[in-house]
Amino acid sequence: MNGAQHILEAFHRHNIQTVFGYPGGCIMPLYDALVDDVSVEHVLCRHEQGCALAADGYARASGRLGVCIATSGPGATNLITGVANAHRDSTPMLVITGQVPSSLIGTDAFQETDVLGMTLGIVKHSYLAESADELPSILEEAIELAQSGRPGPVWIDIPKDVLLAEAAVAPTCRPTPKEAACPDLTSATALLRAARKPLLYSGGGISLAHAEKSFRDFAESSGLPAVVSLKGIGNPGKHSAHNLGMLGMHGSRAANRAVDECDLLLVIGARLDDRATGKLEGFAPNARLIHIDADAAEMNKLLSTELTIRGDLNTVLRELTQVLRETPLEISEWRKQCQTWRTTGGFQAADNEEPLTPITGPAFIRQLSRIAPDDTTIACDVGQHQMWIAQYYQFDHPRHHLTSGGLGTMGFGLPAAIGAQFARPDSTVLNVTGDGSFMMNAQELATIRRYNLPVKLIIMDNQCLGMVRQQQELFYNNRECQINLDDNPDFVAMARAFDIPALKIERTDQVRRGIETILAYHGPMLLHVAIAREENVWPIVKPGGSNREMIDETRRNSADKKEKVA
């Protein structure tokens, strides 16, 4: 077999059945090999960034490895944003690019770029294959590395001559890793029992470790009041009695108040991101921290902890559950206090169904959450709609919530929804996006049409860059700059140009029928939702501020009145 055929052989060994790519000159040998291999489904996206983001969405929705392919030069550079997105959110991904022939590397040949140099900071590891004989072992190592420990993207750059050269070398078989022994949890259980106000804080690491069941068993057995990061939404399930919601910049008052008051913070599978913690000096000021994670690099990175435990989250959580089942925690008063905060400071969206009134973002998302099936996957973009989804949509599983957390990539949602639909072909997949984000990768409507994917698209259109406008209003004296999008195209006509049915709604009394219509349709469909330009996401913490200094609409209006009186 030649190098290209060895790649397909590796796909077969690891049950990789779906890949996302775009052909070009230096990756052509791999596409030639695909002609004779019908077992691998290649999805042709319409931009290489779309390939990477679709592979990301596929991996997030399925828990399996996402694979994207591109050629050298601009093909590789167009992948970079999507690969960086996967790296920041620890998504397992294999990236394969063609490179100019080995003899031309370093000569500024046509479509040559230094892929290794450009991508060092956005991958777990990268390779430049120098011979066909080493390619099989590189593939085995890369596939394992992308999925082990803390997952992430691994990039293999392959010169065209290496793809064409024959290689008879068998891949090196790597030993199956044994399950690690559980670390000593004596200190952790002692700290939990000594605490009067312990709080559970979970993040995206739960789903990355496939530890959803272990986490829910622990959460139920411990009875700990709980908060989640943006990437941890769905960890507790939609019916958890102890979940206070998302913490951080746009988190609930209940969640941020509990973090502020707790005396022990048990952090599991979260990296204490700045959008979650706010100003570090004001984060959990009364608490001792226990940090449990698979990645030692995250421990004591931002905050000093009382105890760190590195290990497999399933193993650790099962052991903790067993210990707490034998002797439950005595924190009934703390639970009552947190329930009170949840009632008064949780996310609430008024149901406004009066006819002829404008549609509000929170009320629309709340209605969507009630109508959509429980196993619906939501792939959202970045902006106000992203936060309304996080606040008001009730997710029953973290893999149902696909969002760009660490990088904040506008344009993520549409290709991610495409990847999710391939991963979950029998499930409802929605792309909820804003008018700004939608235009970033609108070309992928062609991919939806080509494969007749039943992806539903919802554009929440306020004719501006809403989150930027909101921050300019609140923190830059309302000096608007370059946020106006009132020259958007007709999104309904645009969808229909791709042979995708579409409709537009503008009033509250149209919301239920609009949602039910697109969910009932058996193919792809777009719903254009007009919302008010001036609507903001509440509450909000000023960038760089402490979470205890949350601003909501009531406080903001009160401050405005005092300023006018003064």
Side-chain angles (χ1 to χ4, degrees), residues 37-259:
D37 193 322
V38 296
S39 63
V40 176
E41 182 177 28
H42 179 281
V43 180
L44 178 68
C45 297
R46 294 306 177 97
H47 190 284
E48 289 89 354
Q49 185 183 115
C51 299
L53 293 173
D56 189 331
Y58 178 92
R60 294 187 199 221
S62 66
R64 301 190 296 272
L65 183 70
V67 179
C68 59
I69 301 169
T71 195
S72 64
T77 59
N78 283 343
L79 289 174
I80 285 177
T81 296
V83 176
N85 189 81
H87 181 257
R88 289 298 303 275
D89 286 348
S90 303
T91 304
M93 183 185 291
L94 178 66
V95 186
I96 296 175
T97 51
Q99 182 56 276
V100 299
S102 302
S103 61
L104 295 179
I105 292 177
T107 68
D108 295 329
F110 176 68
Q111 291 193 335
E112 179 193 3
T113 53
D114 179 10
V115 171
L116 263 67
M118 287 190 297
T119 61
L120 283 175
I122 60 167
V123 294
K124 281 187 74 174
H125 193 64
S126 55
Y127 302 85
L128 175 62
E130 296 181 344
S131 72
D133 285 341
E134 70 176 14
L135 186 56
S137 60
I138 286 176
L139 286 160
E140 288 299 306
E141 185 173 287
I143 290 169
E144 179 191 350
L145 184 59
Q147 301 174 91
S148 62
R150 179 177 179 169
V154 177
W155 196 311
I156 308 177
D157 197 37
I158 311 173
K160 187 174 183 179
D161 57 305
V162 173
L163 289 168
L164 290 168
E166 291 188 0
V169 179
T172 303
C173 293
R174 304 179 67 83
T176 303
K178 297 180 181 179
E179 183 173 341
C182 184
D184 184 3
L185 301 178
T186 305
S187 298
T189 53
L191 286 170
L192 279 168
R193 296 197 189 288
R196 300 276 65 87
K197 299 178 179 180
L199 186 67
L200 175 59
Y201 166 19
S202 67
I206 299 298
S207 61
L208 292 174
H210 303 274
E212 296 89 351
K213 183 180 186 305
S214 299
F215 174 80
R216 292 184 187 184
D217 288 345
F218 169 71
E220 182 180 348
S221 297
S222 68
L224 287 169
V227 300
V228 294
S229 70
L230 176 66
K231 293 289 286 129
I233 289 172
N235 285 344
K238 66 189 297 184
H239 302 298
S240 170
H242 302 296
N243 180 30
L244 302 176
M246 182 177 70
L247 81 165
M249 175 178 279
H250 294 291
S252 72
R253 282 197 170 277
N256 284 341
R257 180 73 181 272
V259 172

Side-chain angles (χ1 to χ4, degrees), residues 191-349:
L191 286 170
L192 279 168
R193 296 197 189 288
R196 300 276 65 87
K197 299 178 179 180
L199 186 67
L200 175 59
Y201 166 19
S202 67
I206 299 298
S207 61
L208 292 174
H210 303 274
E212 296 89 351
K213 183 180 186 305
S214 299
F215 174 80
R216 292 184 187 184
D217 288 345
F218 169 71
E220 182 180 348
S221 297
S222 68
L224 287 169
V227 300
V228 294
S229 70
L230 176 66
K231 293 289 286 129
I233 289 172
N235 285 344
K238 66 189 297 184
H239 302 298
S240 170
H242 302 296
N243 180 30
L244 302 176
M246 182 177 70
L247 81 165
M249 175 178 279
H250 294 291
S252 72
R253 282 197 170 277
N256 284 341
R257 180 73 181 272
V259 172
D260 203 49
E261 295 284 339
C262 72
D263 62 5
L264 178 73
L265 190 61
L266 176 59
V267 183
I268 304 179
R271 59 188 181 89
L272 298 167
D273 177 74
D274 61 287
R275 288 298 177 100
T277 65
K279 187 177 181 180
L280 286 173
E281 291 82 353
F283 181 73
N286 307 307
R288 305 163 90 178
L289 266 66
I290 301 174
H291 195 174
I292 304 174
D293 205 278
D295 187 359
E298 291 298 337
M299 297 170 177
N300 294 301
K301 185 174 80 173
L302 295 170
L303 288 171
S304 296
T305 57
E306 185 82 13
L307 178 66
T308 60
I309 299 172
R310 182 191 179 193
D312 173 68
L313 297 190
N314 272 300
T315 305
V316 174
L317 286 166
R318 283 195 291 262
E319 184 67 23
L320 280 174
T321 300
Q322 184 60 38
V323 171
L324 293 181
R325 277 177 177 163
E326 295 170 0
T327 313
L329 299 175
E330 298 178 2
I331 54 171
S332 57
E333 291 303 314
W334 172 238
R335 289 193 192 104
K336 290 178 183 177
Q337 177 63 78
C338 288
Q339 283 302 312
T340 300
W341 289 334
R342 181 187 184 188
T343 301
T344 59
F347 293 123
Q348 302 293 332

Side-chain angles (χ1 to χ4, degrees), residues 424-437:
R424 308 184 66 209
D426 298 324
S427 295
T428 300
V429 177
L430 297 178
N431 168 217
V432 180
T433 184
D435 50 319
S437 288

